[in-house]
Structure formats: C-alpha cells, structure tokens
Amino acid sequence: RNVASGSAITTLAPLLPPLAGGMLLIRLLPVAQLSPAISLLLTVLALVGFMHGLQLAWNRLHLPGYAVTALLLAQSHLLLLAAIWVGEAGVAAELRVLLLAGGTFYLLVTQPLANRWLRWAAGGVALAALAGLPLTAGFASRAGLYAIWLADGRWALVLVLALLHVPLVLAGMWLLRG
C-alpha cells in the first residue's frame, strides 16, 4: 500500500512548480501595474509559449508522461494570460484547471484504470476543464479573458487562442485513448 501511494505522489510531483508559481502570481498581482505595451508583449509571449507546449506534446504523444507535462506547460501560459488580463480570480481558476486536469491526466497515463468508462469519464472532465467548457473553472477564466479582449477590440487574440485550443483538446483525447 505504501508503495502505491508513494508512486502516486511521485507521479504528481510535476504539479508542484506550477502550483508554487501560480500562488506567487496571485500574491504579486495587486502590486503589478503593467503598461498596455508590456501587457501586449507578455500576451504574445504567453501565446507563443502555449503554442510551444502544444508542439512539445504533439511531438511526444508516444511518451504519455512527457506529453502531459507539455500540455501543462501550455496550460501554465494560460495562467500568465489570466494574470495579465483577468486578475486574481482568473489565475485562481486557471490554477484549479491545471491541478485538476494535470493530476487527472498524470494518474490516468501512469496508473491506468481497468474500467474504460471510468477512464473516459474522469479524463473527459479534465479535458473539459482544459478546453474551458461551461461549468468548469476554465470557462470562468477564459470567458473573462475573451470578454476583456473583445471589449478592447482585440478579436484577433480571441481567435488565435480559440484556435490553439483545438490541438490541445485533440492531444488530450489522444492521451485518453492510449
């Protein structure tokens, strides 16, 4: 029994750095005053980082643990976007998504469930949170982000991020299938 719980803790260890970073981000938000130019520069860098995480995941789908880590790298860039545009509530929501989806995917790829339906149900909830579907924490953050961008006339950013979610969801489905 201790061996199984030890391997689960080892499996979930990659979630600790993003958790620590997200908590630090929440603490720094009240003192950060970014100019519009810096906000846009950080937004572009976050989108490039999101795309890079997706590329790493797709290049290593044959190594599920690595692919999950790459998907969480992409998700951590959504933490940055939420910090820049939405604020503390957005960061907290994206952090919940990262922990729920990351933990679920890590456990599913390292300790597969015998019951296929339970695997798809648990993975489906995690995937829905990653995609930002309604009734998930991801939706709260992404809806706020999209609303702010649309109010500022930044519809191109909405389009880019929405399109980048397609390979994210497909990679997650591929991992669940495996």
Side-chain angles (χ1 to χ4, degrees), residues 15-49:
L15 293 173
L16 293 177
L19 174 63
M23 297 304 291
L24 180 63
L25 214 69
I26 287 174
R27 296 278 187 202
L28 292 176
L29 279 177
V31 296
Q33 298 295 323
L34 300 176
S35 70
I38 297 295
S39 294
L40 284 176
L41 175 65
L42 288 174
T43 299
V44 169
L45 291 175
L47 289 171
V48 168

Coordinates of all heavy atoms in Angstrom, one line a residue, residues 15-49:
L15 N 3.4 18.7 -10.7 CA 2.4 19.7 -10.4 C 2.8 20.8 -9.4 O 2.3 21.8 -9.3 CB 1.1 19.1 -10.0 CG 0.4 18.2 -11.0 CD1 -0.8 17.6 -10.4 CD2 -0.1 19.1 -12.2
L16 N 3.9 20.5 -8.6 CA 4.3 21.4 -7.6 C 4.9 22.7 -8.1 O 4.5 23.8 -7.6 CB 5.3 20.7 -6.6 CG 4.7 19.6 -5.8 CD1 5.7 18.9 -5.0 CD2 3.5 20.1 -5.0
P17 N 5.8 22.7 -9.1 CA 6.3 24.0 -9.6 C 5.2 24.9 -10.2 O 5.1 26.1 -9.8 CB 7.3 23.6 -10.7 CG 7.7 22.3 -10.3 CD 6.5 21.6 -9.7
P18 N 4.2 24.4 -11.0 CA 3.2 25.4 -11.4 C 2.3 25.9 -10.3 O 1.8 27.0 -10.3 CB 2.4 24.6 -12.5 CG 3.1 23.3 -12.7 CD 4.1 23.2 -11.7
L19 N 2.1 25.0 -9.3 CA 1.3 25.4 -8.1 C 2.0 26.5 -7.4 O 1.4 27.5 -7.1 CB 1.1 24.2 -7.2 CG 0.4 24.5 -5.9 CD1 -1.0 25.0 -6.1 CD2 0.3 23.3 -5.0
A20 N 3.3 26.4 -7.2 CA 4.0 27.4 -6.5 C 4.1 28.7 -7.3 O 3.9 29.8 -6.8 CB 5.5 26.9 -6.2
G21 N 4.3 28.6 -8.6 CA 4.3 29.7 -9.5 C 2.9 30.5 -9.5 O 2.9 31.7 -9.5
G22 N 1.9 29.7 -9.5 CA 0.5 30.3 -9.5 C 0.2 31.0 -8.2 O -0.4 32.1 -8.2
M23 N 0.6 30.4 -7.1 CA 0.4 31.1 -5.8 C 1.2 32.4 -5.7 O 0.8 33.4 -5.2 CB 0.8 30.1 -4.7 CG -0.1 28.9 -4.6 SD -1.8 29.2 -4.5 CE -1.9 29.9 -2.9
L24 N 2.5 32.4 -6.3 CA 3.3 33.6 -6.3 C 2.6 34.6 -7.2 O 2.6 35.8 -6.8 CB 4.7 33.2 -6.8 CG 5.7 34.4 -6.9 CD1 5.9 35.0 -5.5 CD2 7.0 33.9 -7.5
L25 N 2.1 34.2 -8.3 CA 1.4 35.1 -9.2 C 0.3 35.8 -8.5 O 0.1 37.0 -8.7 CB 1.0 34.4 -10.5 CG 1.0 35.1 -11.8 CD1 2.4 35.3 -12.2 CD2 0.3 34.3 -12.8
I26 N -0.5 35.1 -7.8 CA -1.7 35.6 -7.1 C -1.2 36.7 -6.1 O -1.8 37.7 -5.9 CB -2.5 34.5 -6.4 CG1 -3.3 33.7 -7.5 CG2 -3.5 35.1 -5.4 CD1 -4.0 32.5 -6.9
R27 N -0.1 36.4 -5.4 CA 0.5 37.4 -4.4 C 1.0 38.6 -5.1 O 0.9 39.7 -4.5 CB 1.6 36.7 -3.6 CG 1.2 35.6 -2.8 CD 0.6 36.1 -1.5 NE 0.3 35.0 -0.7 CZ -0.5 35.0 0.3 NH1 -1.2 36.1 0.5 NH2 -0.7 34.0 1.1
L28 N 1.6 38.5 -6.3 CA 2.2 39.7 -7.0 C 1.2 40.5 -7.8 O 1.5 41.7 -8.1 CB 3.3 39.2 -8.0 CG 4.5 38.6 -7.3 CD1 5.5 38.1 -8.4 CD2 5.2 39.6 -6.4
L29 N 0.0 40.0 -8.1 CA -0.9 40.7 -8.9 C -1.3 42.1 -8.3 O -1.4 43.1 -9.1 CB -2.2 39.9 -9.2 CG -2.0 38.9 -10.3 CD1 -3.3 38.0 -10.4 CD2 -1.7 39.5 -11.6
P30 N -1.6 42.2 -7.0 CA -2.0 43.5 -6.5 C -1.0 44.6 -6.7 O -1.3 45.8 -6.7 CB -2.3 43.2 -5.0 CG -2.6 41.8 -5.0 CD -1.7 41.2 -6.0
V31 N 0.3 44.3 -6.8 CA 1.3 45.3 -6.9 C 1.8 45.5 -8.3 O 2.5 46.5 -8.6 CB 2.6 45.0 -6.0 CG1 2.1 45.0 -4.5 CG2 3.2 43.7 -6.4
A32 N 1.4 44.7 -9.2 CA 1.9 44.8 -10.6 C 1.0 45.8 -11.4 O -0.2 45.6 -11.4 CB 1.8 43.4 -11.3
Q33 N 1.6 46.8 -11.9 CA 0.9 47.7 -12.8 C 1.6 47.7 -14.1 O 2.7 48.3 -14.3 CB 1.0 49.1 -12.2 CG 0.3 49.3 -10.8 CD -1.2 49.0 -10.9 OE1 -1.8 49.4 -11.9 NE2 -1.8 48.4 -9.9
L34 N 1.0 47.0 -15.1 CA 1.7 46.9 -16.4 C 1.1 47.9 -17.4 O -0.1 48.2 -17.4 CB 1.4 45.5 -16.9 CG 1.9 44.3 -16.1 CD1 1.5 43.0 -16.7 CD2 3.4 44.4 -16.0
S35 N 2.0 48.4 -18.2 CA 1.6 49.3 -19.3 C 0.9 48.5 -20.4 O 1.2 47.3 -20.5 CB 2.8 50.1 -19.8 OG 3.6 49.2 -20.5
P36 N 0.1 49.1 -21.2 CA -0.5 48.4 -22.3 C 0.5 47.7 -23.2 O 0.3 46.6 -23.7 CB -1.3 49.4 -23.0 CG -1.6 50.5 -22.0 CD -0.4 50.5 -21.1
A37 N 1.6 48.4 -23.5 CA 2.6 47.8 -24.4 C 3.2 46.5 -23.7 O 3.4 45.5 -24.4 CB 3.7 48.8 -24.7
I38 N 3.5 46.6 -22.5 CA 4.1 45.4 -21.8 C 3.1 44.3 -21.7 O 3.4 43.1 -21.9 CB 4.6 45.8 -20.3 CG1 5.7 46.8 -20.4 CG2 5.0 44.6 -19.6 CD1 7.0 46.3 -21.0
S39 N 1.8 44.6 -21.5 CA 0.7 43.6 -21.4 C 0.6 42.9 -22.8 O 0.5 41.7 -22.8 CB -0.6 44.3 -21.1 OG -0.6 44.8 -19.8
L40 N 0.7 43.7 -23.9 CA 0.6 43.0 -25.2 C 1.8 42.2 -25.5 O 1.7 41.1 -26.1 CB 0.4 44.0 -26.3 CG -1.0 44.6 -26.4 CD1 -1.1 45.7 -27.4 CD2 -2.0 43.5 -26.7
L41 N 3.0 42.6 -25.1 CA 4.2 41.9 -25.3 C 4.2 40.5 -24.5 O 4.5 39.5 -25.0 CB 5.5 42.7 -24.9 CG 6.8 41.9 -24.9 CD1 7.1 41.5 -26.4 CD2 7.9 42.7 -24.3
L42 N 3.7 40.6 -23.2 CA 3.6 39.4 -22.4 C 2.5 38.5 -23.0 O 2.6 37.3 -22.9 CB 3.3 39.8 -21.0 CG 4.5 40.4 -20.2 CD1 4.0 40.8 -18.8 CD2 5.6 39.4 -20.1
T43 N 1.5 39.1 -23.6 CA 0.4 38.3 -24.2 C 1.0 37.5 -25.4 O 0.7 36.3 -25.5 CB -0.8 39.2 -24.6 OG1 -1.3 39.8 -23.5 CG2 -1.8 38.4 -25.3
V44 N 1.7 38.1 -26.2 CA 2.3 37.5 -27.4 C 3.3 36.4 -26.9 O 3.2 35.2 -27.4 CB 3.0 38.5 -28.3 CG1 3.9 37.8 -29.3 CG2 2.0 39.4 -28.9
L45 N 4.1 36.6 -25.9 CA 5.0 35.6 -25.4 C 4.2 34.4 -24.8 O 4.6 33.3 -24.9 CB 5.9 36.2 -24.3 CG 7.0 37.2 -24.9 CD1 7.8 37.9 -23.8 CD2 7.9 36.6 -25.9
A46 N 3.1 34.7 -24.1 CA 2.3 33.7 -23.5 C 1.7 32.8 -24.6 O 1.6 31.6 -24.5 CB 1.2 34.2 -22.6
L47 N 1.2 33.4 -25.6 CA 0.6 32.7 -26.7 C 1.7 31.8 -27.5 O 1.4 30.7 -27.8 CB -0.1 33.6 -27.7 CG -1.4 34.2 -27.2 CD1 -1.9 35.3 -28.2 CD2 -2.4 33.2 -27.0
V48 N 2.9 32.3 -27.6 CA 4.0 31.6 -28.2 C 4.3 30.4 -27.3 O 4.5 29.3 -27.8 CB 5.2 32.5 -28.5 CG1 6.4 31.7 -28.9 CG2 4.9 33.4 -29.6
G49 N 4.4 30.7 -26.0 CA 4.7 29.6 -25.0 C 3.6 28.5 -25.0 O 3.9 27.3 -25.0

